[in-house]
Structures are given as C-alpha cells and as structure tokens.
Amino acid sequence: MQIDYASIEKKWKERWEQDGVYRVSHDDPRPKYYVLDMFPYPSGSGLHVGHPLGYIASDIVSRYKRMDGYNVLHPMGYDAFGLPAEQYAVQTGIHPAISTEDNINRYRNQLLNLGFSYDWSREVKTCDPRFYKWTQWIFLQLFHHYYDTERNTARPVAELIASFEANGTHGVHAAHSYEGTFDATTWQAMTPKEQDDVLMNYRLAYRKISYVNWCEALGTVLANDEVKDGVSERGGYPVERKAMLQWSLRITAYAERLLRDLDDLEWTDAMKTIQSNWIGRSEGAEVEFPVRGRDASIRVFTTRPDTIFGATFMVLAPEHPLVAEITTPDQQLEVRAYQEQAALRSERERIADVKEISGVFTGAFAVNPVTGRSIPVWAADYVLMDYGTGAIMAVPGDDTRDGAFARHFDLPIVEVIDRSAFPDAEVGDKVGTLQNSDFLNGMEIPEAIEATLRHIETQGLGVRTVQYKLRDAIYSRQRYWGEPIPILYDQDGVAHAMDVQELPHELPMLDDFQPSGTSSPLARLPEWVDAGNGMTRETDTMPGYAGSSWYFLRYMDPYSDDVFASPEAIAYWKDVDLYIGGTEHAVGHLMYSRFWHKFLYDKGLVPTVEPFRKLINQGMIQGVIEYLYMYKEKVDGYTKFLCARLAAQHPEELFARIPILVTVVENYGTPDSYLSTRSIEQLIAWRPEYEDAIFECSKGVYHRGTFTPRDGAAGSHLYTDSEVGKMGKRYHNAVNPDTVVAEYGADCFRMYEMFLGPIDQSKPWDTNNIDGVSRFIRRFWNLFHSDQDAWQVTENEPSGEELKILHGTIKRVREDIERYSFNTCVSHFMTATNELKKLGTTSRAILDPLVRLIAPFAPFISEALWEQLGGSGSVHLTDYPKFDASLLIESTITYPVCINGKKRTEADFTADASPADIEQVVLALEAVQKWIDGKTVRKVIVVPKRMINIVV
RNA sequence: GCCCACGUGGUGGAAUUGGUAGACACGCUAGGUUCAGGACCUAGUGCUCGUUUAGGGCGUGGAGGUUCGAGUCCUCUCGUGGGCACCA
C-alpha cells in the first residue's frame, strides 16, 4: 500500500493557490484571530529542519481556529535588510538586493512545500521601498515627538517649542538625556543650531555624541543587545567603546510602561523575567554631596540611603565631567593617566579585569551631608558613567565592591548594619538593624530607608528617584544594506526631517560595499549626499531591528501607499493573538516592537497598548556535530588527522577540532562514532583538499587510499567526537526539510516535528522516530482503504464504543491544541487509530469527523481523504468537529472505596448523580461496613470521578 | 556572584494540575509473514522477589515535611540548561 505523497501535495498546493483558500479580508463578520510567526532572515543557506518547528505549530493553530469559526490572519514575510547579505556582497561583489531576492525565493518554495496556510498575498519584505517608506515614516514621527513624563504619553515637539518660547524649561516635564534649564529669553536668543541641540535632548529619535559599541571588523556601531560578552553577536568580533555622533531612540522614556505592562501579557515567566531584568528598575534616591572648597557638588544615586552614615568616600566614573574640574594640581598627572588608560581599554578587557581593583585619588574632598565630615573623592572604573549619575557614595561597610576598594586603598570603613541576629547573612543583604548612624540607630533596614528618605527630602539634600538599566537604543549603522535615515542637514548642521511626500527615501544603488572607517559606504556618493539647496543627506542607515519593530502591522494592510496600514484594517485585526518565535529575541526585537507599538498607541494609531498578547517560544532543533582532530602544524608536509581517542592523550593545544559533514561518519551521534576506510573516502570526496592527508586511526594509518595496519591489526576506526549543538552550515549538519518531505511526505514531517516533544523544548533531530510517525500515517490511511487499496468506508451505524473513542479524542485534541501541547495531540491520533483499527471501524460517521480532526496537522492527506469521502471544497474550510459530552458519560461508574487511602472494595454508582451526594456516600459506607465495624468514621472524602475515601 | 527554569524507564516523552506513574512512540525480546528491504503482523517490555502461575516489595536526582493520598505543594541539597553580570 503506497500513498503517493508527491502528487497529493502538488495537487492541493495548486488547488489552494487557485481557489485562494487562505485569503482573508478585514471586511468579515466573523471574530478575528491573528497568528504570527517571527519572520525569517533569508540567509544564503536556506531553511533547515529547525526553522519550521514554530511555523508548523502556528499553522496548526491557524487551521484549527479557521475551522472553528474565526477569520484567521496568518501571514509570512522576510526580514530582508541586514549584515550577512552585505558581508556576502563584500566578499562576492553580488549586490545584496540580488542575493536577498534569490534567498527569499528559495525560502518561499521551501515553506510552500510544508503546506502552510499563509495568505501569501500579504507577503512583506523589509527591504522593499513600499515597506520601508513606513519604517522611515515612523522614525520621523519619533523625531517629531518627545515624551511627557507627567501625562505619560508622547507629545509633538512643536508643543515643546511653544513652551520654550513662552516659559523656557519652566513647567516642562519631558524625558531627556541630560539636565539643563533656561528661560524664554535665553531660548529666543539661541541660534537655530543651538535650538536644534536643545531639542535633541528631548526628541524620541535624537542625535547626540555618546559612548557606543563600535565594532571595527563590522565597521559599524551596535546596540547593547547586539553585543554579548564584549564581542559582536554576529561574527564574534571585538567591540570597543567609542564616543560618536549617533542617532538613538529614547526607549528609556517608556521603561516604566514596558515593565508594568508585562504583567498583563500571556508570556512565559522566563521571558518576562529576562525583559524585566533588562529594564532593571531600582528605586532609590539621588543625594547631593558638596565638594569642599568649591562651588560644585557631586550627585550620587543610591538604593540604600539608610547606609549614608557609612559613606566614607566617594567614587566617580573616570569619564565623569567633574573629575577634571575637582582634581587638585598635585593629582593632575596621575588622574589624567588613569582616565586615558580607562578610555583605551576595550569593553572585553574591562569585563575580563573585573576583579582587578584600580582607581585614583582626585585630591578633592566632599562633605557627607549627614555627618558633615570630609570624605575623599576617587575616580575608578568600577563606577559606570552611564548608570545612575556616574558617581557613588561608597559604603565599604555594606557593599562588597566598596569594601574591597577600601581595603585595597586603605580607606576608612564604618559598619552601619548590625547583622548579628542573622549569622548567615552576607554583606549587602537587606537584613539587620542600623548602628553608628545617629537617628537611624536600632531601626530595621526598610524603616531606616524610609526615615533617611524623609530626612534628605525635608533637608533638601536629595530626592527619591527610580533608575533603570535600560539604555537608549543606538539607531545609526554605518553600513549600506539598511533603510536610509530620512534626515537632511543644513550648512549649520541642523537636522531637518524629510517630508512624507519625499518618502520612501530610497537606498541608492552601489557596487562597492566595503565598510570605510566610521562612515557608511553611502558617504562615498557625493552626488547623492548633496541634496541641493546647501543640504546634505544623512549617510547612516537604520539597524536590523527597524523593520521588524512594526512589520506585523503592515500585514494587516500590505498595499497601502497613503498610510502604514488603513485604520479600518487596524481596527479589525487590532493586535497579534498568538506570536511564535525563539527566545533569542527576548531583549532585542520584542523590546523594540513593544516600544514602537506604545508610541503608535500614544499617537492613537493602534488600539492596543501591547502588540503581542500571547507569546510562545519554540525550542531549537539541534543537530549532531561531529569533530575530527587535525594537527595545527603540518606533519612532514602533510595535513594530519588523529583519532579522537588518541588525541585525548595529547595536549589539546596541538590540535584544531574541526566540524565535519555528519553523514559520512559511521554511528554518528553516538559515543562510538567513527570514520571507516570508506567514510574517509567520502570525506575526501567532500573536501578534496584532504586528498593527501594522513589519517591516524586506532589500529593503523590511512594515507592515499591505503590502510597500513599497526601490529597486524585489521580494520580502521578513526574515532570522531560527537556533540549535540546548533544545526547550521558551519557544523555541516544541517538537514534540509525538502529531502525529508520528498521521502516521507510533508504531513509526516509536520507531525514528526510536533511529536518530538513539547514545542518550547530544544531537542536534537533524530530520524529514528520518524518511521513511527510514517507508520501511523499509513495506518490512518488504511482505516479508509483495504489492503488492496480499495475504498472501504461504509454507511454503517457506529457502535457506542466507536463513538466514545471518537468523542474522547475530539475532546482531548481540542483541549491540547488550546494549550499548545501538539505532541500529545499526535499521540491521541495514534491511540484512536490503534483502537479503531482493533474494532475494524469502517463507518463514515466516525471517519468523516476524524479526517477533519487531523486536518490542521496533516493538511495534505486530509484533503485527499476528504475528497474521497465526497466532501465539498477544501476540508480546511469545513467545521472543526465538536464533541458530544453525553457520549462520553458512562451509565454506571465503578468507584474504588478506600479506607484511609487503602482500597477495600469497589462500588457501582449511577452516573447522573454526583458521588458527592449523601446517598452515594451512604452506599459507600454500606459497601465497606465490614471494615469499619466498631470504628468511628472521622470523615468521608469524595474525589470526583476517582474514588470515595473513608477516614476512620 | 545574582536571577529564572527544569530533573520521570534503555531513549523521546505522557500523567485530566493533589487522586491507579510510565499514555503514545522509538529501541529491545519472542513468534509469524514476505518478491529478503532500514517492510508488515501478533505478543511482551519500569526495577525486583517468586520455577511458570497467583501474588508481593520498591520506584519520578537526593534528604526531610504537609496530607487519608505527593511526580505534582513546602524546606534544604545535588545536578543540568538559560538570562544578567562592577547596575551603586
């Protein structure tokens, strides 16, 4: 019995396309449901079996919801701007537009092969000018707005200008980068450039000189979430801190809302925790410490104002502007040397040297405002310029870092917390009572914090504040393949937004993509840079996250040229009901999208505060990685490989561990993976440069087609190292879904990926289990067909037992789809098929609903069977089966009756009475009378549907 | 170092959320069948005691606790994975 998957799939793919089965419109009376996949970056190596995992899950939900009466928006598109395409262009000279288009076409075909129910007419690409016109437009809206911290909403910059004209900064409550006050006359006296600079302090998209993550190798700056462990996330190149004039987005203005609104989202706790840690809210106070003998004061941020009596010195970040001002002449040289050294250190070195204590005394003293004592002011790089105020009051008695610093430089330490009642507590733990702290003595810490806050506020020493770790997002990229920033500069350097009519501001064609120093390749096009009228264009482009921060809105109305999406479409589709994608976007894409969405909400352009109501993070499908040990130096002029087990006896510096094509390895993925003589030949066929290489096995040496055994041993085992890790091109272990589909069919591939385990778990790709799913599909098919491939569905009345199996399965499958447990759904199908097979079911009344039930999982064979059943149109447009609860209730249920949890007997009860009924309990008591004779019944516990337990 | 999540057979994983642990599948064992293929069918399969049977004991990383009852809740501990990392 053979099922011709290929022709079934071809036929239905064409039919779906022709009939527009998955086309949707917002002009529809049904309730909407929006299922979104994180759109892929179309890389050169195509999809591997790991990519579709989330797409299969979202497709199942889409099909299920569609059959269950919803109007389902389920679109797909491409995140098409970005570094890899440009790096590829640098290497090959092929224009990114061309390679990207090729990659997109390959991706689309691969996705089509898997039978996804996307509305392909809504496909978007972020590199399409019709799309990025609106990316640029939203950027300009950010440019034209500031954040009103009193009304908690974005407001037009024009209103801010009006305020400045009338009252200067008086009465203005706006999120800003640095403090600065002025009055109306000062504002009116400013030059346009000076006014522009002031406005940049408030705009939500602004330009300023700031310390940024500069990556020399990539020739661009990177946002914080694009840097991991001091190296670039893409490519792993070193990143240094550099002061540059850059565009940024004021995401910090939304920090509080981004944090607070997490509560209402149906995201995993892990995801919410990552985001809230990234936002990093801490409550505390800013306190002023006057500098002795100078008209200056140092403002510090602290979360522990209660420890202020223990503040015995102060530390400023080396870049802190006050350092130069307060340093005494005799400390000048030393301080300047320290500042220079700190500036030169790369981010990576700084992280590596965390445990090294360094710092320098400025010679200046400040006054502790509560003790009135003079305390020395130091500069040290353990204080960061861009957190808090860039300065701290050091409390060596209750902070481990301050303590270490004090001991290292022999500074005074005052113990302000008495922790004697908590022997296990460590320095910095918020337990204990205050000591050596004047009016705070004897208080518990929370009480002392509150008392100190009141004190400093009434005395005018400082104010309560909230700090966030979240930083503004650097928005400029000095690269070619991205959206041009639609800004022009006049001769004075004042930034001017382009008009909406001038958008899209198209990316000009270029054939030299080589990065050049600190400016974009676009700067090499003088005729493009010159915008006429003495204006010049911004040459930086937008970062990778620009387009993806709002693409889900464009799907709602992908064609409009007048708006980013029509108000009608947005009013109907509202937000994403279910979003599926990987955890790797936790702090990048998902944070920026939420920020943009909130801004658009403030503008009244979207109806919801949050873009993604429910988020599921699919796990990664991992691959087996096989490594071979290669000598770093050539041996006698030859490349030499060594068996893993022999390599283990040698110092590891001798070798490079190189990943090789997994499929040439025998027993790959096991501890006994090895290369045989034959597989060495396959390896050479794959990498001809190793034709001359020497392979030293456990039992001899293989060289140029000849195996020379040692000590007369026969056979060669060149053991390799197996590991489970990422699937991808560089590990030579990527499995293309197309080949799996060609062998087993798309339905089998889909169900297999779901069957592997819970959607949110990572798991290795393991082809052993796929046969089990393939067998199931054949068994399922054979419920409908006899051994001779004859159609055997009858009009027989189904038996009660058959109906029970069917409705039990419908109930479980519906419930499990609703809780996104797709692996158990597949199990339910298997169980039902096994049971129905045993009963010899051929009844249409059972098999017809069964086909509809499985349709979201196996879209192709369900269409084929549906057609044979004589159903009209596509099975995916029929109703999803509903279960009849009455069929599931048994007329008599036998309950175990237990005494003290020990089962004693069983008793029959009728189903329509709840076992909780007194009558039932009496029945139970009678049933166990002989065991409870003479004992008092203390209580009777009725476990619904389970048992009756009598405690004596 | 701090925060979060997770530990169930030989393997992937179920367990209606405190109610018969191990569904479903892989693998394995035995038997059958086949144009001999990595196909198909049937039965068995947590560990252990018991000659087979009947039956018993032990079992969800470890140690305690709550409960008539714990894989599930609480405390401690060990292990794995992830996030953050001089954040004052």
Side-chain angles (χ1 to χ4, degrees):
Chain A
M1 217 353 283
Q2 210 60 48
I3 311 171
D4 186 356
Y5 298 115
S7 62
I8 291 174
E9 286 167 18
K10 183 168 182 293
K11 172 176 169 179
W12 287 99
K13 273 190 286 190
E14 284 167 6
R15 191 81 69 83
W16 293 340
E17 165 69 29
Q18 262 169 36
D19 300 352
V21 170
Y22 307 119
R23 292 265 176 102
V24 284
S25 150
H26 63 260
D27 187 15
D28 195 298
R30 289 174 295 170
K32 70 99 187 184
Y33 198 83
Y34 187 174
V35 185
L36 181 68
D37 291 305
M38 287 188 185
F39 64 169
Y41 176 84
S43 81
S45 38
L47 286 178
H48 62 63
V49 294
H51 294 112
L53 187 69
Y55 304 157
I56 297 168
S58 67
D59 194 59
I60 289 168
V61 175
S62 302
R63 289 179 183 275
Y64 161 73
K65 284 284 178 186
R66 192 180 290 119
M67 291 174 75
D68 213 25
Y70 289 86
N71 187 29
V72 176
L73 177 57
H74 188 216
M76 181 45 88
Y78 307 94
D79 187 14
F81 271 135
L83 271 174
E86 188 169 346
Q87 295 290 76
Y88 183 72
V90 169
Q91 286 159 24
T92 62
I94 295 172
H95 196 279
I98 294 167
S99 60
T100 301
E101 195 57 36
D102 286 349
N103 294 343
I104 286 175
N105 289 331
R106 185 182 310 117
Y107 267 61
R108 191 188 297 108
N109 279 325
Q110 287 185 294
L111 292 169
L112 281 165
N113 277 341
L114 295 171
F116 294 133
S117 61
Y118 295 121
D119 179 350
W120 286 103
S121 70
R122 290 171 185 261
E123 185 185 84
V124 303
K125 304 169 216 179
T126 53
C127 64
D128 180 345
R130 289 184 60 187
F131 179 92
Y132 70 69
K133 167 177 181 177
W134 299 103
T135 311
Q136 291 169 330
W137 181 81
I138 296 171
F139 170 82
L140 290 182
Q141 297 309 304
L142 288 161
F143 176 79
H144 288 308
H145 286 77
Y146 75 101
Y147 195 80
D148 185 320
T149 53
E150 205 169 51
R151 285 182 285 180
N152 263 311
T153 185
R155 299 297 310 170
V157 166
E159 289 182 6
L160 194 63
I161 295 172
S163 285
F164 289 163
E165 289 284 347
N167 308 307
T169 48
H170 185 75
V172 166
H173 302 275
H176 53 262
S177 307
Y178 55 89
E179 298 288 340
T181 53
F182 50 83
D183 56 24
T185 41
T186 316
W187 168 261
Q188 287 154 15
M190 287 182 194
T191 65
K193 173 61 182 161
E194 283 165 346
Q195 290 188 341
D196 185 53
D197 287 345
V198 167
L199 292 175
M200 286 295 184
N201 191 30
Y202 300 95
R203 294 183 191 275
L204 288 174
Y206 65 95
R207 195 175 182 233
K208 85 167 224 227
I209 293 179
S210 50
Y211 280 93
V212 296
N213 307 301
W214 169 255
C215 180
E216 185 67 38
L218 294 174
T220 187
V221 302
L222 299 169
N224 284 345
D225 63 279
E226 293 169 317
V227 181
K228 289 251 150 71
D229 300 326
V231 297
S232 68
E233 192 175 35
R234 241 179 231 292
Y237 302 109
V239 170
E240 57 189 295
R241 291 174 59 70
K242 194 167 186 165
M244 288 175 72
L245 186 58
Q246 298 288 313
W247 283 96
S248 294
L249 299 187
R250 201 176 303 282
I251 188 171
T252 49
Y254 284 83
E256 187 61 38
R257 285 165 65 185
L258 287 169
L259 183 68
R260 198 185 56 215
D261 292 348
L262 280 175
D263 287 347
D264 302 324
L265 295 176
E266 295 171 51
W267 293 16
T268 60
D269 288 342
M271 210 60 174
K272 291 186 186 181
T273 312
I274 293 174
Q275 287 220 341
S276 74
N277 286 347
W278 188 260
I279 295 168
R281 182 183 199 274
S282 11
E283 282 181 20
E286 284 184 8
V287 187
E288 299 279 350
F289 284 62
V291 179
R292 179 135 288 175
R294 242 173 251 270
D295 184 22
S297 72
I298 301 167
R299 178 180 279 251
V300 302
F301 173 72
T302 176
T303 55
R304 292 292 303 278
D306 56 314
T307 62
I308 193 164
F309 286 92
T312 50
F313 61 100
M314 304 193 76
V315 185
L316 303 181
E319 315 95 295
H320 198 289
L322 270 178
V323 173
E325 197 183 320
I326 65 173
T327 300
T328 53
D330 52 323
Q331 294 292 322
Q332 286 283 2
L333 278 176
E334 208 184 329
V335 168
R336 208 165 292 160
Y338 184 74
Q339 282 180 309
E340 275 165 27
Q341 179 214 327
L344 276 176
R345 283 214 293 180
S346 73
E347 189 73 349
R348 205 179 176 181
E349 287 166 336
R350 210 181 58 74
I351 289 168
D353 291 351
V354 160
K355 286 182 188 70
E356 294 267 316
I357 295 170
S358 72
V360 62
F361 179 44
T362 60
F365 287 85
V367 180
N368 183 322
V370 293
T371 63
R373 292 202 193 101
S374 277
I375 55 175
V377 181
W378 287 63
D381 66 358
Y382 84 92
V383 174
L384 307 176
M385 189 57 223
D386 53 2
Y387 181 76
T389 59
I392 61 159
M393 62 175 206
V395 184
D398 202 51
D399 182 288
T400 43
R401 295 151 305 171
D402 296 345
F405 193 83
R407 281 187 292 278
H408 190 264
F409 290 108
D410 204 18
L411 292 158
I413 299 173
V414 173
E415 296 291 347
V416 283
I417 305 292
D418 175 10
R419 256 185 290 273
S420 51
F422 305 89
D424 293 338
E426 287 173 19
V427 169
D429 288 351
K430 278 191 176 179
V431 291
T433 52
L434 274 289
Q435 60 181 10
N436 300 326
S437 295
D438 197 322
F439 66 94
L440 299 173
N441 285 340
M443 290 186 188
E444 297 285 331
I445 290 174
E447 190 191 356
I449 290 176
E450 196 44 45
T452 317
L453 285 171
R454 271 200 309 271
H455 178 77
I456 58 177
E457 280 187 324
T458 50
Q459 301 291 307
L461 307 173
V463 287
R464 290 167 203 254
T465 50
V466 175
Q467 281 292 335
Y468 301 92
K469 280 195 252 179
L470 185 72
R471 307 289 146 79
D472 280 347
I474 306 290
Y475 201 70
S476 298
R477 294 294 182 273
Q478 292 70 41
R479 298 300 303 240
Y480 169 71
W481 191 234
E483 303 87 343
I485 294 176
I487 293 286
L488 304 177
Y489 301 101
D490 63 22
Q491 278 121 331
D492 298 327
V494 176
H496 298 269
M498 288 173 65
D499 282 343
V500 181
Q501 292 78 16
E502 295 174 275
L503 301 182
H505 175 32
E506 289 203 36
L507 186 64
M509 285 303 275
L510 199 68
D511 39 6
D512 173 17
F513 315 101
Q514 206 67 44
S516 56
T518 52
S519 61
S520 153
L522 290 177
R524 290 198 294 265
L525 292 177
E527 65 285 0
W528 182 82
V529 172
D530 180 4
N533 298 327
M535 306 285 264
T536 55
R537 295 183 199 279
E538 169 65 61
T539 58
D540 285 351
T541 55
M542 298 189 191
Y545 63 79
S548 62
S549 292
W550 76 283
Y551 74 109
F552 50 93
L553 295 170
R554 186 63 175 174
Y555 285 135
M556 296 176 182
D557 180 15
Y559 311 111
S560 178
D561 284 328
D562 309 320
V563 280
F564 68 93
S566 75
E568 301 79 49
I570 295 173
Y572 178 78
W573 296 114
K574 294 190 180 71
D575 58 357
V576 175
D577 294 277
L578 175 65
Y579 196 18
I580 300 187
T583 31
E584 67 273 21
H585 297 107
V587 289
H589 161 61
L590 286 169
M591 194 72 89
Y592 297 124
S593 305
R594 294 183 60 219
F595 161 45
W596 284 41
H597 202 80
K598 286 180 187 304
F599 170 69
L600 293 173
Y601 172 81
D602 286 353
K603 290 287 297 159
L605 295 170
V606 295
T608 61
V609 192
E610 285 286 336
F612 316 119
R613 191 186 305 277
K614 167 88 193 174
L615 175 73
I616 291 183
N617 301 110
Q618 94 269 17
M620 247 192 318
I621 295 222
Q622 296 155 314
V624 168
I625 307 171
E626 289 289 347
Y627 293 101
L628 204 52
Y629 287 84
M630 184 174 83
Y631 276 93
K632 280 184 178 162
E633 307 277 322
K634 289 208 168 186
V635 179
D636 301 331
Y638 294 108
T639 304
K640 187 172 176 182
F641 292 97
L642 192 62
C643 168
R645 292 180 187 179
L646 292 175
Q649 299 156 16
H650 292 75
E652 52 186 293
E653 312 81 66
L654 274 180
F655 305 101
R657 206 165 72 128
I658 62 164
I660 57 167
L661 189 65
V662 279
T663 49
V664 306
V665 179
E666 311 272 352
N667 291 340
Y668 71 83
T670 70
D672 287 322
S673 55
Y674 66 94
L675 292 175
S676 64
T677 318
R678 210 190 71 208
S679 38
I680 291 176
E681 277 155 19
Q682 288 174 354
L683 180 79
I684 291 169
W686 172 62
R687 283 291 141 94
E689 66 264 36
Y690 297 139
E691 194 188 355
D692 270 349
I694 298 169
F695 296 85
E696 189 172 348
C697 308
S698 49
K699 292 180 175 167
V701 171
Y702 179 96
H703 185 217
R704 289 201 205 188
T706 320
F707 180 68
T708 318
R710 240 193 328 259
D711 310 330
S716 64
H717 269 35
L718 185 74
Y719 290 104
T720 54
D721 240 15
S722 284
E723 200 175 85
V724 170
K726 275 190 177 171
M727 190 173 269
K729 205 175 183 178
R730 64 181 151 144
Y731 300 115
H732 314 296
N733 61 356
V735 180
N736 186 337
D738 293 347
T739 61
V740 184
V741 168
E743 192 176 347
Y744 293 95
D747 292 327
C748 182
F749 177 81
R750 290 166 59 109
M751 293 188 92
Y752 171 61
E753 288 223 344
M754 291 300 99
F755 189 64
L756 275 173
I759 187 74
D760 53 354
Q761 247 167 58
S762 290
K763 50 239 157 183
W765 177 257
D766 172 7
T767 20
N768 287 331
N769 288 301
I770 202 169
D771 292 318
V773 178
S774 177
R775 229 167 276 162
F776 155 72
I777 289 180
R778 254 195 308 267
R779 279 157 162 263
F780 185 82
W781 181 266
N782 288 344
L783 281 176
F784 301 77
H785 300 88
S786 68
D787 295 344
Q788 287 74 42
D789 206 10
W791 184 248
Q792 59 173 13
V793 176
T794 64
E795 303 300 324
N796 295 347
E797 278 294 311
S799 71
E801 202 175 347
E802 289 171 326
L803 284 170
K804 231 173 85 180
I805 293 168
L806 173 68
H807 286 266
T809 308
I810 295 173
K811 182 166 187 282
R812 282 187 283 271
V813 169
R814 288 189 86 110
E815 282 171 359
D816 285 352
I817 295 177
E818 294 281 357
R819 63 190 186 104
Y820 314 105
S821 175
F822 306 107
N823 56 330
T824 52
C825 288
V826 177
S827 297
H828 300 324
F829 291 129
M830 290 177 173
T831 312
T833 303
N834 291 346
E835 287 173 356
L836 292 173
K837 194 117 208 162
K838 252 178 218 151
L839 295 175
T841 301
T842 55
S843 167
R844 169 187 297 273
I846 300 295
L847 297 178
D848 173 300
L850 205 58
V851 166
R852 286 184 281 134
L853 194 66
I854 206 171
F857 296 82
F860 292 113
I861 62 158
S862 57
E863 287 281 29
L865 291 170
W866 179 250
E867 192 177 39
Q868 277 191 284
L869 280 166
S872 63
S874 167
V875 69
H876 299 290
L877 298 178
T878 62
D879 290 339
Y880 206 65
K882 296 196 168 52
F883 65 92
D884 181 346
S886 68
L887 289 171
L888 293 173
I889 293 180
E890 321 200 16
S891 53
T892 311
I893 306 170
T894 304
Y895 287 110
V897 181
C898 308
I899 297 176
N900 290 346
K902 278 271 185 234
K903 184 172 135 186
R904 290 305 185 191
T905 186
E906 291 183 337
D908 291 344
F909 303 106
T910 51
D912 39 352
S914 150
D917 289 3
I918 302 288
E919 213 178 314
Q920 302 295 324
V921 172
V922 171
L923 255 169
L925 285 170
E926 278 167 16
V928 293
Q929 198 58 50
K930 58 174 172 171
W931 285 286
I932 57 173
D933 263 354
K935 291 173 193 153
T936 338
V937 175
R938 284 198 294 153
K939 61 179 168 176
V940 177
I941 299 153
V942 179
V943 181
K945 295 184 185 174
R946 280 296 170 194
M947 64 168 179
I948 294 182
N949 191 21
I950 295 160
V951 184
V952 295

